[in-house]
Structure formats: C-alpha cells, structure tokens
Amino acid sequence: MLTKLESEVISRYWEDIADAIVASVPPLAEVTDTALNELLKGLLEDRMQAWILCDIIEDRTVVYALVITTIWRDPGLDTKNLLIYALYGYSTIQESMWKAGLETLRKYARGIGCKAIVGLTSVPRIREVVEQLGGDTSISLITLAV
C-alpha cells in the first residue's frame, strides 16, 4: 500500500527521508544543506508530499520505497500535473505493489485536479515499470550546461 506521511512522521524520520532524497533527486537538482532545508519545509507545508510504499508483515511495517511528489504546473497552459520528484527503492518491488501504489497516486492526483502524473528519471528499471503499466516513456529531458 502507498501511504502519505503526515508532518509529524516526516519530522520524526527526516534523517532517513533526507538520505533517500539525496540518493534519488532529479538529475538537475544539486543537493545542499540549504536545498534539503527547503525540501523539508515544502514537505511540512504540504507543498510537497512524502509517501511510503509499504506492507504489514508479521505485525511490522516493511517499507519498500519512498516517493516525493509535488504539483508541477505547465507554464503555458497552467494545467496541473503531479510530479514524482524523487523515488527511492529500498528493496525489490513486485509489479502488483507498483500498480497499487500508482493507483493511489492517480486517485490523489485526480482529487487535486491534476491532468497527469509525470516524472524525470535516468533509471532504466523505472522506465521498464512505467512501460509495463501502460505509461509513456517516449519523452526525454535533454540538458545543456550553461
């Protein structure tokens, strides 16, 4: 199941969350102490959301992944999209868990008026999963240093 973390849980586990974010931020992000403070502020103010993909096994919670989302507005059309800002896997995730987690994100995105779920990745396995789940991976972000 995919569960949205509340502010008090984010504060309690911030060090673990920050480590996962550092390992999985988008390719263009530069992680500094200031940037991490801004991310924490965004999470606590719910401008960004932290989710865990987890299961209950023998009365304990097993966490498989951390997902950080935020609203991304198209600058030309002003449409809202739910951006998967960071995704960090702690262990192998079964396809059924991916499907259930993405369905939760879809419901959340629809509920807040988003047109789509979007993300950036350089991880081949993420592209494979998105394709297997019927998503479009044909668009690539290109960058040129300035």
Side-chain angles (χ1 to χ4, degrees):
M1 79 182 120
L2 186 69
T3 303
K4 185 174 177 275
L5 300 179
E6 300 297 327
S7 296
E8 60 274 0
V9 176
I10 292 167
S11 295
R12 184 177 328 138
Y13 294 103
W14 174 242
E15 286 185 31
D16 294 328
I17 292 169
D19 289 343
I21 289 172
V22 167
S24 63
V25 292
L28 299 177
E30 181 180 345
V31 181
T32 63
D33 288 341
T34 301
L36 283 173
N37 286 336
E38 284 300 314
L39 286 166
L40 175 58
K41 182 179 174 185
L43 289 166
L44 295 176
E45 294 175 351
D46 202 38
R47 288 181 289 109
M48 301 182 89
Q49 303 76 39
W51 307 78
I52 57 167
L53 185 62
C54 62
D55 200 1
I56 307 293
I57 300 175
E58 298 177 7
D59 295 331
R60 68 182 188 95
T61 302
V62 177
V63 178
Y64 293 93
L66 172 74
V67 181
I68 304 297
T69 60
T70 191
I71 301 300
W72 177 73
R73 289 190 176 272
D74 179 289
L77 302 175
D78 199 35
T79 54
K80 288 175 26 175
N81 298 287
L82 184 65
L83 173 68
I84 297 177
Y85 179 78
L87 171 61
Y88 183 79
Y90 295 97
S91 62
T92 303
I93 302 167
Q94 298 174 2
E95 187 174 336
S96 61
M97 292 184 82
W98 280 113
K99 285 181 179 180
L102 282 172
E103 187 54 35
T104 299
L105 283 182
R106 279 187 177 114
K107 288 177 184 174
Y108 177 77
R110 275 194 298 271
I112 59 172
C114 290
K115 178 182 174 193
I117 298 172
V118 298
L120 306 172
T121 189
S122 59
V123 179
R125 177 66 181 136
I126 298 297
R127 292 174 61 113
E128 289 172 18
V129 169
V130 169
E131 288 171 354
Q132 289 170 0
L133 297 176
D136 181 1
T137 62
S138 64
I139 299 169
S140 298
L141 173 70
I142 58 171
T143 63
L144 295 170
V146 293

XYZ file of all heavy atoms in Angstrom, residues 64-119:
443
model
N 9.157 -0.439 1.256
C 9.799 -0.817 0.000
C 10.304 0.388 -0.783
O 11.270 0.275 -1.526
C 8.821 -1.604 -0.874
C 8.471 -2.943 -0.291
C 7.342 -3.095 0.513
C 9.273 -4.053 -0.516
C 7.018 -4.326 1.070
C 8.960 -5.286 0.041
C 7.830 -5.416 0.829
O 7.519 -6.629 1.387
N 9.624 1.523 -0.647
C 10.018 2.691 -1.429
C 9.527 3.971 -0.766
O 8.560 3.956 -0.007
C 9.459 2.600 -2.850
N 10.217 5.055 -1.073
C 9.815 6.402 -0.673
C 9.578 7.187 -1.956
O 10.383 7.125 -2.893
C 10.913 7.082 0.144
C 10.677 8.560 0.451
C 9.605 8.707 1.533
C 11.961 9.237 0.885
N 8.461 7.893 -2.008
C 8.112 8.718 -3.166
C 7.871 10.141 -2.671
O 7.151 10.344 -1.696
C 6.825 8.192 -3.862
C 6.484 9.051 -5.077
C 6.955 6.724 -4.233
N 8.473 11.105 -3.345
C 8.244 12.518 -3.049
C 7.519 13.110 -4.258
O 7.977 12.972 -5.395
C 9.566 13.282 -2.809
C 10.400 12.631 -1.698
C 9.278 14.756 -2.512
C 9.767 12.619 -0.335
N 6.377 13.745 -4.007
C 5.606 14.350 -5.090
C 5.403 15.839 -4.840
O 5.561 16.320 -3.718
C 4.215 13.679 -5.236
O 3.479 13.838 -4.017
C 4.346 12.212 -5.592
N 5.041 16.537 -5.901
C 4.677 17.945 -5.820
C 3.849 18.289 -7.053
O 3.805 17.520 -8.012
C 5.927 18.853 -5.726
O 5.523 20.180 -5.393
C 6.738 18.861 -7.008
N 3.206 19.419 -7.027
C 2.442 19.885 -8.182
C 3.396 20.575 -9.154
O 4.211 21.411 -8.758
C 1.344 20.899 -7.757
C 0.378 20.255 -6.764
C 0.607 21.451 -8.981
C -0.352 19.057 -7.288
N 3.297 20.211 -10.412
C 4.041 20.862 -11.481
C 3.031 21.454 -12.444
O 2.203 20.755 -13.006
C 4.947 19.870 -12.206
C 5.675 20.469 -13.360
C 6.721 21.341 -13.301
C 5.389 20.280 -14.749
N 7.111 21.697 -14.570
C 6.306 21.052 -15.479
C 4.448 19.530 -15.438
C 6.310 21.096 -16.860
C 4.444 19.573 -16.824
C 5.370 20.351 -17.521
N 3.070 22.763 -12.598
C 2.138 23.451 -13.492
C 2.800 23.677 -14.846
O 3.929 24.153 -14.912
C 1.731 24.797 -12.914
C 0.820 24.676 -11.722
C 0.245 26.039 -11.344
N -0.694 25.919 -10.262
C -1.995 25.678 -10.418
N -2.501 25.545 -11.604
N -2.777 25.580 -9.361
N 2.066 23.338 -15.898
C 2.541 23.627 -17.242
C 2.592 25.147 -17.379
O 1.574 25.815 -17.157
C 1.586 23.018 -18.271
C 2.023 23.309 -19.686
O 1.910 24.481 -20.114
O 2.465 22.372 -20.357
N 3.746 25.718 -17.728
C 3.856 27.179 -17.748
C 3.053 27.841 -18.858
O 2.723 29.020 -18.750
C 5.355 27.426 -17.939
C 5.887 26.166 -18.522
C 5.012 25.054 -18.032
N 2.704 27.111 -19.901
C 1.945 27.712 -20.990
C 0.445 27.598 -20.800
O -0.294 28.547 -21.045
N -0.007 26.435 -20.351
C -1.443 26.178 -20.242
C -1.965 26.268 -18.815
O -3.166 26.245 -18.591
C -1.764 24.784 -20.801
C -1.352 24.556 -22.252
C -1.600 23.109 -22.648
C -2.089 25.507 -23.173
N -1.060 26.331 -17.854
C -1.392 26.385 -16.436
C -2.182 25.147 -15.975
O -2.981 25.224 -15.057
C -2.147 27.670 -16.077
C -2.091 27.942 -14.575
O -1.053 27.633 -13.952
O -3.088 28.435 -14.019
N -1.957 24.006 -16.642
C -2.569 22.767 -16.175
C -1.697 22.172 -15.075
O -0.481 22.361 -15.058
C -2.732 21.740 -17.318
O -1.457 21.545 -17.943
C -3.735 22.215 -18.340
N -2.349 21.471 -14.160
C -1.630 20.864 -13.036
C -1.297 19.410 -13.345
O -2.117 18.680 -13.893
C -2.490 20.911 -11.765
C -2.621 22.276 -11.176
C -3.555 22.404 -9.990
C -3.810 21.230 -9.139
N -4.645 21.524 -7.956
N -0.092 19.014 -12.965
C 0.347 17.625 -13.042
C 0.962 17.258 -11.701
O 1.533 18.114 -11.027
C 1.396 17.442 -14.148
C 0.844 17.769 -15.508
O 0.066 17.016 -16.060
N 1.219 18.920 -16.046
N 0.865 15.993 -11.322
C 1.526 15.519 -10.117
C 2.898 15.017 -10.529
O 3.022 14.049 -11.282
C 0.720 14.403 -9.440
C 1.298 13.924 -8.108
C 1.246 15.044 -7.065
C 0.545 12.697 -7.610
N 3.929 15.712 -10.079
C 5.305 15.366 -10.418
C 5.865 14.414 -9.365
O 5.844 14.725 -8.170
C 6.166 16.630 -10.473
C 7.675 16.418 -10.646
C 7.992 15.848 -12.025
C 8.427 17.727 -10.426
N 6.338 13.263 -9.819
C 7.119 12.399 -8.926
C 8.512 13.008 -8.917
O 9.283 12.857 -9.860
C 7.124 10.936 -9.399
C 5.702 10.384 -9.378
C 8.055 10.105 -8.510
C 5.572 8.970 -9.906
N 8.796 13.733 -7.863
C 10.052 14.480 -7.762
C 11.215 13.554 -7.462
O 12.309 13.707 -8.007
C 9.913 15.553 -6.682
C 11.162 16.362 -6.480
C 11.490 17.376 -7.372
C 12.028 16.095 -5.431
C 12.647 18.114 -7.214
C 13.191 16.825 -5.260
C 13.502 17.828 -6.155
O 14.651 18.545 -6.004
N 11.004 12.604 -6.562
C 12.050 11.657 -6.198
C 11.395 10.318 -5.891
O 10.286 10.264 -5.353
C 12.840 12.155 -4.987
N 12.101 9.251 -6.231
C 11.633 7.892 -5.965
C 12.839 7.082 -5.539
O 13.827 6.999 -6.274
C 10.994 7.294 -7.221
C 10.633 5.818 -7.184
C 9.606 5.529 -6.094
C 10.112 5.372 -8.541
N 12.752 6.498 -4.345
C 13.865 5.711 -3.827
C 13.354 4.349 -3.403
O 12.426 4.243 -2.606
C 14.510 6.413 -2.625
C 15.710 5.672 -2.092
C 16.938 5.781 -2.736
C 15.608 4.860 -0.970
C 18.050 5.099 -2.268
C 16.725 4.175 -0.499
C 17.931 4.296 -1.152
O 19.026 3.613 -0.687
N 13.949 3.293 -3.970
C 13.569 1.933 -3.609
C 14.515 1.353 -2.583
O 15.733 1.457 -2.723
N 13.952 0.764 -1.549
C 14.755 0.113 -0.509
C 14.988 -1.362 -0.829
O 15.940 -1.955 -0.344
C 14.061 0.223 0.855
C 13.955 1.640 1.350
C 12.790 2.377 1.160
C 15.021 2.262 1.992
C 12.689 3.683 1.611
C 14.930 3.564 2.442
C 13.753 4.266 2.244
O 13.655 5.561 2.677
N 14.082 -1.952 -1.610
C 14.211 -3.359 -1.996
C 13.377 -3.593 -3.252
O 12.696 -2.695 -3.738
C 13.750 -4.279 -0.857
O 12.395 -4.055 -0.560
N 13.446 -4.809 -3.768
C 12.697 -5.159 -4.968
C 11.205 -4.999 -4.717
O 10.697 -5.379 -3.665
C 13.003 -6.614 -5.369
O 14.418 -6.740 -5.564
C 12.283 -6.994 -6.653
N 10.529 -4.431 -5.705
C 9.096 -4.156 -5.577
C 8.349 -4.982 -6.617
O 8.657 -4.909 -7.810
C 8.817 -2.648 -5.778
C 9.613 -1.841 -4.753
C 7.330 -2.363 -5.688
C 9.663 -0.360 -5.030
N 7.385 -5.746 -6.157
C 6.584 -6.569 -7.055
C 5.686 -5.674 -7.906
O 5.252 -4.606 -7.472
C 5.726 -7.537 -6.257
C 6.521 -8.516 -5.438
C 5.625 -9.379 -4.549
O 4.408 -9.271 -4.568
N 6.253 -10.239 -3.767
N 5.390 -6.156 -9.119
C 4.555 -5.373 -10.035
C 3.200 -5.040 -9.424
O 2.677 -3.944 -9.620
C 4.370 -6.126 -11.353
C 3.653 -5.285 -12.390
C 3.584 -5.947 -13.749
O 4.422 -6.807 -14.047
O 2.673 -5.584 -14.507
N 2.640 -5.956 -8.659
C 1.333 -5.689 -8.038
C 1.416 -4.514 -7.066
O 0.466 -3.735 -6.957
C 0.807 -6.938 -7.316
O 1.700 -7.327 -6.284
N 2.558 -4.367 -6.391
C 2.723 -3.224 -5.483
C 2.858 -1.924 -6.263
O 2.313 -0.903 -5.867
C 3.934 -3.436 -4.568
C 3.741 -4.553 -3.563
S 5.137 -4.678 -2.440
C 4.673 -3.399 -1.277
N 3.605 -1.957 -7.390
C 3.715 -0.778 -8.246
C 2.329 -0.333 -8.694
O 1.987 0.842 -8.637
C 4.552 -1.068 -9.495
C 6.035 -1.042 -9.342
C 6.883 -2.110 -9.449
C 6.866 0.086 -9.077
N 8.177 -1.711 -9.262
C 8.199 -0.366 -9.032
C 6.611 1.433 -8.864
C 9.271 0.484 -8.802
C 7.673 2.287 -8.629
C 8.984 1.809 -8.600
N 1.543 -1.310 -9.178
C 0.209 -1.000 -9.688
C -0.662 -0.377 -8.610
O -1.332 0.631 -8.842
C -0.455 -2.263 -10.237
C 0.089 -2.700 -11.556
C -0.640 -3.949 -12.055
C -0.111 -4.375 -13.408
N -0.784 -5.570 -13.914
N -0.666 -0.987 -7.438
C -1.500 -0.469 -6.344
C -1.035 0.926 -5.926
O -1.855 1.820 -5.692
C -1.470 -1.432 -5.158
N 0.274 1.123 -5.837
C 0.811 2.427 -5.454
C 0.478 3.502 -6.469
O 0.069 4.613 -6.108
N 0.631 3.181 -7.747
C 0.307 4.160 -8.781
C -1.181 4.456 -8.825
O -1.583 5.581 -9.125
C 0.826 3.701 -10.140
C 2.323 3.910 -10.323
C 2.812 3.252 -11.608
C 2.678 5.388 -10.329
N -2.011 3.466 -8.518
C -3.449 3.735 -8.476
C -3.774 4.724 -7.355
O -4.608 5.619 -7.518
C -4.246 2.442 -8.313
C -5.738 2.645 -8.434
C -6.177 3.347 -9.727
O -5.568 3.140 -10.800
O -7.157 4.123 -9.661
N -3.091 4.593 -6.223
C -3.271 5.548 -5.125
C -2.858 6.948 -5.571
O -3.565 7.929 -5.306
C -2.466 5.114 -3.888
O -2.944 3.838 -3.450
C -2.581 6.123 -2.755
N -1.712 7.049 -6.257
C -1.270 8.355 -6.754
C -2.255 8.918 -7.779
O -2.511 10.118 -7.794
C 0.127 8.276 -7.366
C 1.293 8.216 -6.398
C 2.614 8.179 -7.172
C 1.281 9.365 -5.408
N -2.800 8.054 -8.634
C -3.794 8.523 -9.611
C -5.013 9.116 -8.918
O -5.505 10.180 -9.302
C -4.239 7.370 -10.512
C -3.301 7.058 -11.628
C -3.912 6.021 -12.568
N -3.021 5.789 -13.672
C -2.389 4.634 -13.893
N -2.566 3.614 -13.085
N -1.599 4.503 -14.925
N -5.506 8.430 -7.903
C -6.673 8.931 -7.167
C -6.354 10.264 -6.501
O -7.161 11.193 -6.537
C -7.121 7.907 -6.119
C -7.778 6.696 -6.713
C -8.139 5.695 -5.632
C -8.726 4.430 -6.239
N -8.963 3.397 -5.231
N -5.182 10.355 -5.900
C -4.765 11.606 -5.264
C -4.683 12.724 -6.307
O -5.206 13.822 -6.109
C -3.414 11.411 -4.563
C -2.864 12.673 -3.946
C -3.375 13.165 -2.753
C -1.830 13.375 -4.562
C -2.873 14.335 -2.189
C -1.324 14.541 -4.005
C -1.854 15.008 -2.817
O -1.349 16.168 -2.263
N -4.034 12.427 -7.440
C -3.856 13.425 -8.499
C -5.212 13.897 -9.029
O -5.424 15.098 -9.211
C -3.002 12.851 -9.626
N -6.114 12.968 -9.275
C -7.462 13.360 -9.750
C -8.155 14.240 -8.714
O -8.797 15.225 -9.053
C -8.317 12.114 -10.012
C -8.138 11.512 -11.377
C -9.229 10.501 -11.707
N -9.271 9.354 -10.825
C -8.606 8.223 -10.990
N -7.817 8.081 -12.033
N -8.721 7.240 -10.126
N -8.010 13.871 -7.450
C -8.671 14.604 -6.368
C -8.204 16.039 -6.225
O -8.948 16.886 -5.717
N -6.979 16.320 -6.655
C -6.476 17.694 -6.554
C -6.446 18.388 -7.921
O -5.837 19.437 -8.073
C -5.093 17.755 -5.862
C -4.050 16.939 -6.612
C -5.205 17.314 -4.402
C -2.629 17.107 -6.082
N -7.108 17.785 -8.898
C -7.272 18.436 -10.197
C -6.105 18.324 -11.157
O -5.956 19.173 -12.041
N -5.296 17.290 -11.023
C -4.154 17.117 -11.931
C -4.567 16.395 -13.204
O -5.454 15.546 -13.197
C -3.046 16.325 -11.248
S -2.229 17.236 -9.924
N -3.882 16.737 -14.287
C -4.124 16.117 -15.584
C -3.376 14.796 -15.721
O -3.861 13.858 -16.343
C -3.680 17.081 -16.682
C -3.830 16.549 -18.084
C -3.318 17.531 -19.102
C -3.342 16.890 -20.480
N -2.600 17.640 -21.463
N -2.163 14.706 -15.151
C -1.321 13.517 -15.322
C -0.346 13.389 -14.157
O -0.150 14.326 -13.387
C -0.553 13.614 -16.637
N 0.269 12.232 -14.078
C 1.407 12.000 -13.196
C 2.633 12.018 -14.089
O 2.659 11.327 -15.121
C 1.295 10.645 -12.469
C 0.059 10.613 -11.578
C 2.562 10.372 -11.648
C -0.235 9.250 -10.984
N 3.632 12.802 -13.733
C 4.829 12.945 -14.562
C 6.080 12.764 -13.700
O 6.009 12.846 -12.470
C 4.865 14.323 -15.278
C 3.681 14.475 -16.209
C 4.895 15.459 -14.274
N 7.209 12.526 -14.351
C 8.461 12.381 -13.612
C 9.650 12.398 -14.544
O 9.514 12.245 -15.754
